[in-house]
Amino acid sequence: MRIDEAREGGDPGSEEGWYHRLPFAFDLAALRRVLPAAVGEHLRADDGGAIDRLGVLLGKDAAADMVARFHIGLAEGVAAIEGGADMAPIGHRLGGMAGMLGFPLLSAAWLGLQRDPRLWPAARAITAEALRKVGIDLAQA
């Protein structure tokens, strides 16, 4: 049984599943209302503790550099997709990196692009918000 079946009592692709509770196109506020029920409270937001957790292994400066390069990679990924690149491999790469670095919401958003390109507005919005927190504005990138 999948996690969505356990929580919702039905297949996510059916009329009873959570996919049908989030209309396309949707905004970030709508995604935030549905996401916790769909994937669990632990994915509600990235806590920003990646540098601290990685710092234990790599040293704080090396961890900060790694996360900074990841943020640049996110901005480059957005630019590539908006330039017409295939989003599935970019989503796979950035989603995997996000998960490895400790950013579960970004990871879920980007990995979703492998399955459904209609998720791009949500992935972009989540990425834009995460990058704004570290001083990167996608509108100017």
Side-chain angles (χ1 to χ4, degrees):
M1 177 178 283
R2 295 185 315 253
I3 191 167
D4 45 50
E5 291 174 328
R7 287 210 170 99
E8 297 297 330
D11 183 337
S14 72
E15 288 299 318
E16 297 83 36
W18 64 269
Y19 291 137
H20 295 281
R21 295 183 186 169
L22 189 62
F24 291 98
F26 52 85
D27 60 14
L28 188 56
L31 181 66
R32 283 188 176 148
R33 283 191 304 272
V34 173
L35 193 61
V39 296
E41 288 293 321
H42 66 286
L43 291 185
R44 178 176 289 237
D46 294 319
D47 65 8
I51 294 173
D52 294 334
R53 289 187 300 272
L54 289 171
V56 172
L57 296 172
L58 307 171
K60 190 153 181 101
D61 290 341
D65 288 345
M66 183 181 284
V67 173
R69 285 191 306 273
F70 170 66
H71 288 140
I72 291 167
L74 286 172
E76 291 171 349
V78 168
I81 289 172
E82 290 181 343
D86 182 1
M87 64 181 67
I90 296 170
H92 176 82
R93 180 175 55 85
L94 291 174
M97 289 171 54
M100 180 184 67
L101 292 173
F103 297 101
L105 182 58
L106 280 167
S107 180
W110 281 92
L111 288 173
L113 297 176
Q114 295 178 104
R115 295 181 309 276
D116 192 344
R118 296 176 300 171
L119 296 175
W120 173 239
R124 191 191 190 292
I126 291 166
T127 302
E129 181 178 329
L131 292 178
R132 264 193 303 275
K133 290 178 182 177
V134 296
I136 299 173
D137 183 2
L138 286 178
Q140 296 177 5

